[in-house]
Amino acid sequence: MSQNESAQAVQVFEPSADFVKQATIAGMDAYKALCAEAEKDYAGYWARLAREHVTWKQPFTQTLDESEAPFFKWFADGKLNVSYNCLDRNVEAGLGDKVAIIFEADDGAVTNVTYKQLLAKVSQFANVLKSRGVKKGDRVVIYLPMSVEGIIAMQACARIGAIHSVVFGGFSAQSVRDRINDAGAVMLITSDGQCRGGKALPLKPIADEALENGACPSIKNVIVWKRTGAETNMVAGRDTWWHDAVAGQSEVCEPEWVEAEHPLFLLYTSGSTGKPKGVQHSTGGYLLHAVLTMKWTFDLKPNDIFWCTADIGWVTGHTYITYGPLACGGTEIVFEGVPTYPDAGRFWKMIQDHKVSIFYTAPTAIRSLIKAADTNPATHPTKYDLSSLRLLGSVGEPINPAAWQWYYDNVGGGRCPIVDTFWQTETGGHMITPMPGATPLVPGSCTLPFPGIQAAIVDETGTELDWGKGGILVVKKPWPAMIRTIWGDPERFKKSYYPDDFNGKLYLAGDGATRDAKTGYFTITGRIDDVLNVSGHRMGTMEIESALVSHPMVAEAAVVGRPDDLTGEAICAFVVLKGARPTGDDIKRIVKELQDHVGKEIGPIAKPKDIRFGENLPKTRSGKIMRRLLRSLAKGEEVTQDTSTLENPAILEQLKQPAG
């Protein structure tokens, strides 16, 4: 590293005096005081915060119960309702006429929904669920586009104590079917379609395919929201239009008061084995962290306009769209469309139009918009009035320093702190993140743990490493918003997150990380298992391999990730066909066929970017695929590893060749 680079590498951005002045956590001393309080009396610290920030129907007397570790319980004898905490308490506090959601549709139409209106709509839909026999503890799968209705459906489940499981609208019929069956869901809530980038895309036909031939016997009812007006097949006795179902339902619905440990939702995530894991979250601990991170990481104030660009199908959309902003009485933007339609200035125009003050998006989106602004200068963020912004955030994957700098200079005008947040589906909310009014920022680093989170870096034996050394990221103590178990599979939960290697005492995040020798700042270096991070979405390599092998032409497949300028990581598949290795025009045709096949099996986000063909795959003598070698090939590196164990060294040349 040249001197110039090393000077750049440690460029530090201090919070501005103005920001510190108004910040909820103002200055490093305030941050350190919270960390010291948690250090001194861990349970007492979380109990204090839970009493201050959450409204309880029945106050708790137990804070942390570790008697069945690693199945931890928080605030177990307390009772509450999440929907009440998001809606009723804000109406009761006099915020009924405050705008809760500013919804902008794909075509630009804007709808405002106040807290009073949202409470009425959620109560009405909760009564729909009850009228169809859905009760506390039942599972409901939601397969909807980005919409106010998506939030209503989730909140209505929470209101009656039903457990929702949202499936991202880009997933395939097979993915929907697997999740319905794993959860044993009694109801599916879907839509005729969704609008994205000026096009209407079907959803109900995919839902029908998931349910065909009695493939999901637990489903009793399907509710269909009319969005696109597309011709829709409705199955008598099972399917009801949303508007027909709510007609005549009361706008009052008493919340179901549930135990703090009652599951609020399941959200399926890719693991390193093929079967998706149903991550189970609690009610009380999850809500507390959603509120705290809104108030501390985002420094949310009553007059802020908050916009998280995620989809409700991912955990970011759960915590920072459906629950966190509403539980804090905030006003938020909900957006149906894509950042590049009608052009790549869409995000900047919306920030300008709605006077957004806090903006939270993913590095992939930032990188694609950098590229677009270079191609079409009219869509450059500096062409818009972004003076309303006061805070920026990044989520989904580590943000590279160059993208961070562009975001800071061009979107934030050099005045807005960037909170680069590290967390996971399993953690419920931010784990390592700057406090914008306290933490000096370093591009590319998520900086320091959220107050109360005991993060560390260890070696393979679980021994904590000195700062300056890279290793495995763990969390040393349980925290309120953590995953409770994997639905229906407690053994897999233990194996995945509290492995024997660490004597079952440390939470394994599954990411590698380093800590700066001087500052102790964390930098995430990437997954340590076979899980890829494509555009901020976790994809298990096994899942994609299984989808490829299910194609009749494919004998064997191995999937690895390679760095990609746009998506962070790209999926690269190495395939052995049952017939001869393809040549000429056949290559392109087979590549497209296999890409479409994976898209149909899992969803478009899982389509491999590269597919390469070989007569076989590089394996060790014991038959293990040499993935490390494939990673080198995918990156286009010279293979320096020992390849003497390979049965057929010629295949390396074959697998070097990008298809088409």
Side-chain angles (χ1 to χ4, degrees), residues 410-463:
N410 295 287
V411 180
R415 62 175 197 282
C416 301
I418 297 178
V419 288
D420 173 3
T421 60
F422 166 80
W423 59 297
Q424 303 170 303
T425 304
E426 295 88 343
T427 70
H430 305 152
M431 298 299 281
I432 306 174
T433 172
M435 298 287 107
T439 320
L441 304 174
V442 171
S445 167
C446 48
T447 69
L448 294 168
F450 189 83
I453 300 296
Q454 312 275 340
I457 292 175
V458 300
D459 65 13
E460 277 74 7
T461 65
T463 309

Side-chain angles (χ1 to χ4, degrees), residues 559-630:
V559 169
V560 298
R562 64 163 174 78
D564 183 87
D565 287 346
L566 198 58
T567 55
E569 220 172 353
I571 302 169
C572 182
F574 295 90
V575 171
V576 179
L577 297 177
K578 288 175 182 167
R581 186 167 165 253
T583 53
D585 290 346
D586 278 350
I587 297 178
K588 275 196 175 134
R589 180 180 60 78
I590 294 173
V591 164
K592 185 162 177 347
E593 192 171 324
L594 294 180
Q595 285 171 328
D596 291 347
H597 178 71
V598 172
K600 191 161 169 22
E601 287 292 303
I602 303 172
I605 52 173
K607 284 184 183 180
K609 193 163 184 181
D610 298 347
I611 298 183
R612 302 180 188 187
F613 299 101
E615 285 162 22
N616 46 33
L617 296 174
K619 293 178 184 169
T620 63
R621 286 209 173 104
S622 62
K624 253 188 150 171
I625 296 172
M626 297 166 78
R627 287 174 192 277
R628 202 169 283 177
L629 199 125
L630 292 177

Side-chain angles (χ1 to χ4, degrees), residues 188-236:
L188 173 65
I189 303 168
T190 186
S191 165
D192 54 358
Q194 52 185 336
C195 297
R196 284 175 74 82
K199 293 190 196 70
L201 305 166
L203 273 182
K204 178 69 165 48
I206 303 172
D208 284 343
E209 189 187 333
L211 302 178
E212 67 189 6
N213 303 328
C216 302
S218 58
I219 293 284
K220 311 254 185 316
N221 289 281
V222 178
I223 306 278
V224 187
W225 172 54
K226 189 174 277 188
R227 171 64 187 101
T228 62
E231 188 93 0
T232 304
N233 167 49
M234 298 291 278
V235 175

